[in-house]
């Protein structure tokens, strides 16, 4: 009887190993779909929910991220940090960060809003008692190509709350380990432009899963065609 399929042992071993790796990668992506979807839904619900009063203590600040909050405090008479960034429309400029102390002493690092890069002077930020509404946002992490902050030269690229706190002379237990993005409540076009909360959490694990599974299926298909062709040539 003439063999109808003869791909060879070495090729078979390579295909089996490669297929196992590809299927494993696809399964890994599939397992991420549910948790990422749950996270995005939680963020959307938090942003659309009625605001709550900022808790005095937060054991898990990350769990409270992207929740709408309100609080009262005293805006310190300090020069704001100008942190380079684009607004939601993609225009370059600066975000203004300044500490606000709550009545029990804990400091909130508040993003008061965005100003364009060509602004001739910074807008006057509030000093003294304030009542703020906005959104809690996690501390930022520098990307691979993001320049480091240089507080000495007042050059900021990453809103790392720990670096900001150090710059303002705060101890690790003196401040909330999250940021607060103030809402934009003034007339349209006034500065600083608040409410610039950017939520960029891609959920493309389904596409990656299908890609890895598709490559695995294509590899097996080529392997079968090659094995049959080789068997015919040897007949």
């Amino acid at each position: 009887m003439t063999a109808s399929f003869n791909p060879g042992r070495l090729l078979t071993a390579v295909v089996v190993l490669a297929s196992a790796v590809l299927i494993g990668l696809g399964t890994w992506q599939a397992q991420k779909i549910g948790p990422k979807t749950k996270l995005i839904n939680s963020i959307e619900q938090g942003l659309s929910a009625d605001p709550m009063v900022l808790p005095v203590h937060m054991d898990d600040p990350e769990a409270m991220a992207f929740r709408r909050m309100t609080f009262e405090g005293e805006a310190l008479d300090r020069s704001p940090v100008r942190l380079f960034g684009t607004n939601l429309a993609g225009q370059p400029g600066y975000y203004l960060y300044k500490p606000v102390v709550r009545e029990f002493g804990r400091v909130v690092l508040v993003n008061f809003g965005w100003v364009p890069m060509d602004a001739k002077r910074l807008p006057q930020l509030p000093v003294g008692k304030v009542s703020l509404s906005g959104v809690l946002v996690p501390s930022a992490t520098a990307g691979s190509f993001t320049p480091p902050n240089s507080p000495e030269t007042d050059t900021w690229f990453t809103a790392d709350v720990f670096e900001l706190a150090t710059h303002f002379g705060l101890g690790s237990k003196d401040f909330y380990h999250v940021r607060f993005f103030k809402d934009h409540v003034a007339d349209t076009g006034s500065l600083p432009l608040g409410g610039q909360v950017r939520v960029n959490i891609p959920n493309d694990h389904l596409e990656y899963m299908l890609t890895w599974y598709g490559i695995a299926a294509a590899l097996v298909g080529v392997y079968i065609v090659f094995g049959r062709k080789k068997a015919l040539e040897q007949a």
Side-chain angles (χ1 to χ4, degrees):
M1 178 180 289
T2 302
S4 59
F5 185 69
N6 185 23
R9 293 182 178 179
L10 178 60
L11 179 60
T12 298
V14 171
V15 170
V16 169
L17 178 61
S19 297
V21 172
L22 291 169
I23 292 173
L25 290 171
T27 302
W28 177 53
Q29 293 294 334
Q31 292 172 343
K32 288 187 172 184
I33 295 174
K36 183 62 71 66
T37 301
K38 183 178 179 181
L39 172 62
I40 293 174
N41 290 338
S42 176
I43 290 174
E44 291 176 348
Q45 291 173 4
L47 291 174
S48 61
D50 293 334
M52 59 182 292
V53 177
L54 181 64
V56 176
H57 300 290
M58 288 190 292
D59 295 330
D60 185 7
E62 293 293 327
M64 303 296 290
F66 298 107
R67 292 292 304 271
R68 299 198 58 78
M69 299 279 182
T70 62
F71 76 95
E72 295 182 350
E74 181 179 358
L76 300 183
D77 188 8
R78 304 285 295 274
S79 297
V81 162
R82 296 188 311 160
L83 189 143
F84 176 78
T86 57
N87 63 12
L88 294 181
Q91 300 170 317
Y94 299 97
Y95 286 98
L96 305 181
Y97 281 86
K98 184 177 172 181
V100 176
V101 184
R102 301 191 70 186
E103 61 181 355
F104 52 84
R106 184 73 60 85
V107 174
V108 184
L109 294 169
V110 177
N111 178 334
F112 277 89
W114 174 91
V115 295
M117 188 174 292
D118 58 0
K120 295 183 179 180
R121 71 165 82 183
L122 294 181
Q124 188 70 34
L125 298 184
V127 175
K129 189 173 182 179
V130 292
S131 180
L132 302 177
S133 64
V135 178
L136 284 186
V137 178
S139 176
T141 303
S144 302
F145 301 101
T146 305
N149 293 328
S150 177
E152 299 80 8
T153 59
D154 195 26
T155 305
W156 296 80
F157 297 96
T158 304
D160 184 317
V161 295
F162 299 96
E163 287 191 66
L164 289 169
T166 299
H167 173 75
F168 287 119
L170 304 174
S172 62
K173 296 183 179 180
D174 296 335
F175 66 100
Y176 290 91
H177 294 176
V178 286
R179 300 174 284 162
F180 186 89
F181 275 51
K182 178 181 174 293
D183 286 338
H184 188 67
V185 296
D187 294 335
T188 302
S190 62
L191 297 175
L193 184 63
Q196 300 295 292
V197 179
R198 180 180 283 106
V199 180
N200 185 18
I201 303 178
N203 189 15
D204 45 15
H205 299 296
L206 177 61
E207 289 81 358
Y208 285 128
M209 178 196 74
L210 295 175
T211 297
W212 291 122
Y213 284 162
I215 295 174
L219 177 63
V220 172
V222 171
Y223 165 73
I224 292 173
V225 171
F226 176 82
R228 288 179 176 176
K229 181 179 179 182
K230 185 176 179 183
L232 291 173
E233 291 174 349
Q234 295 175 347

